Structures are given as C-alpha cells and as structure tokens.
Amino acid sequence: MVFFVGLGRGIGGGLAVNGRVYHGATGTAGEIGHMIVTEDGPRCSCGGIGHLEAIASAYAIVRTMIGLSVEYPETEAAIRRITDGRAERITVEQIFKLAAEGDQVAQRVVHGVHTYLGLALANIVQLVNPSMIILGGPGANAGELLIAPLSERIHELCLPEASQSLRVAQSSLGSEAPLVGAVTLALQDL
Ligand SMILES: [Zn+2]
C-alpha cells in the first residue's frame, strides 16, 4: 500500500491498494488536506480551523514565511536576496534552504511543517500501515530537507510494528502530474 501526498496550492492525498487507487464511499479517501492537526491553527480555505492544508501546503508555507518575515528585517533581506527582490516568488525549497542556513524565521516555518505534516502522516501510518509514503508537488521540491526529518518524526510517533518497513520518498514526477497518475506510476516503480 502506497500513500501519496501532493503539497501544492492545497494538499492532496491518495491511497493505492494492490495497484489500484482506493476512492472510498464518495471519492474523498486519502484527502488529508482537511485533517485537523491542531485545535487553534489558521483558518483553512474550506472554512475549518487547524486543517493540515492551512499549515503545510506549499502555498501556506510561503504565505506563513512572508507573513512572519515582516517583523524580521534580516529575514526579509534574505528573502529579497534569494528572490531577486520578488518575495512573493519564494519557493518552499528556498525556505527550507534558508532554515538549513540558520534563518530562525524559516526554521520556525519548517518546524511547523515537520510537526503537523508528521502528525498527520503518523496517524495515516497507524491506520493503514503503508509500505511507502510518496511526497510530490512544489512543496516536495525541498527534497531531503523536508523528507529526512519528516521520516524521522513519523517513525518516532508510530508504533515500531506500524512503521518498521515504511519508506518516505520524494516523487520523481513533475509537480503537474495528476494524483491518480502519480499513485499508479509510483506503484510501477516498486
Ligand atoms: Zn480545510
């Protein structure tokens, strides 16, 4: 069983079981974007509070970073530098790199992503015991800076029996790949 997570404007998810996408009763199976991960988080596009998508989608990561940076001149300057003055174009990959280079605002944003995405995925692992979690979309372009600590956190949170054979990996597909295609292709790679 493979669980696919796409981090883009929102967060999409999909579950592939025995080579087939599992849709659920009304087609929403695997959609973890609206999973509640905190009781007092930011408001989601759907109107809910504390949903994963409002914290860890690529869009949310960028928005949070730009919002927080307003109060930190050094971070603002760093953002301007790496985006050639177009802060709104900053990517998730650049934010994770800033965090790795020691920017404390970026580190705060990244910590939130690892915390809440890790929580949501750990719950998925406890529920369905997948062999693999594949991250795709623009958010996943942060690569190992996202995936290594995320994998570590999932393993920490899960019962060893549930996560012992779990692998967390970045999708090798482009960010435009539709979810179903991604899940199906990912299975062929195994
Ligand atoms: Zn929502």
mmCIF file of all heavy atoms in Angstrom, residues 34 44 46 51, ligand 1:
data_model
loop_
_atom_site.group_PDB
_atom_site.id
_atom_site.type_symbol
_atom_site.label_atom_id
_atom_site.label_comp_id
_atom_site.label_asym_id
_atom_site.label_seq_id
_atom_site.Cartn_x
_atom_site.Cartn_y
_atom_site.Cartn_z
ATOM 1 N N HIS A 34 -7.590 18.271 4.754
ATOM 2 C CA HIS A 34 -8.534 18.832 5.728
ATOM 3 C C HIS A 34 -8.559 18.042 7.030
ATOM 4 O O HIS A 34 -9.499 18.148 7.811
ATOM 5 C CB HIS A 34 -9.918 18.969 5.095
ATOM 6 C CG HIS A 34 -9.871 19.808 3.850
ATOM 7 N ND1 HIS A 34 -9.741 21.188 3.899
ATOM 8 C CD2 HIS A 34 -9.814 19.465 2.548
ATOM 9 C CE1 HIS A 34 -9.654 21.657 2.652
ATOM 10 N NE2 HIS A 34 -9.690 20.628 1.816
ATOM 11 N N CYS A 44 -8.592 27.418 7.307
ATOM 12 C CA CYS A 44 -8.377 26.720 6.038
ATOM 13 C C CYS A 44 -9.251 27.337 4.945
ATOM 14 O O CYS A 44 -10.243 28.005 5.238
ATOM 15 C CB CYS A 44 -8.743 25.257 6.256
ATOM 16 S SG CYS A 44 -8.502 24.189 4.834
ATOM 17 N N CYS A 46 -11.358 25.924 3.294
ATOM 18 C CA CYS A 46 -12.702 25.342 3.403
ATOM 19 C C CYS A 46 -13.496 25.978 4.540
ATOM 20 O O CYS A 46 -14.675 25.682 4.718
ATOM 21 C CB CYS A 46 -12.614 23.838 3.620
ATOM 22 S SG CYS A 46 -12.090 23.370 5.281
ATOM 23 N N HIS A 51 -6.690 22.887 9.985
ATOM 24 C CA HIS A 51 -6.514 21.822 8.995
ATOM 25 C C HIS A 51 -5.078 21.822 8.470
ATOM 26 O O HIS A 51 -4.451 22.882 8.359
ATOM 27 C CB HIS A 51 -7.485 22.011 7.824
ATOM 28 C CG HIS A 51 -8.924 21.817 8.212
ATOM 29 N ND1 HIS A 51 -9.947 21.832 7.307
ATOM 30 C CD2 HIS A 51 -9.486 21.599 9.434
ATOM 31 C CE1 HIS A 51 -11.095 21.629 7.946
ATOM 32 N NE2 HIS A 51 -10.846 21.500 9.229
HETATM 33 ZN ZN ZN B 1 -9.947 22.544 5.307
#
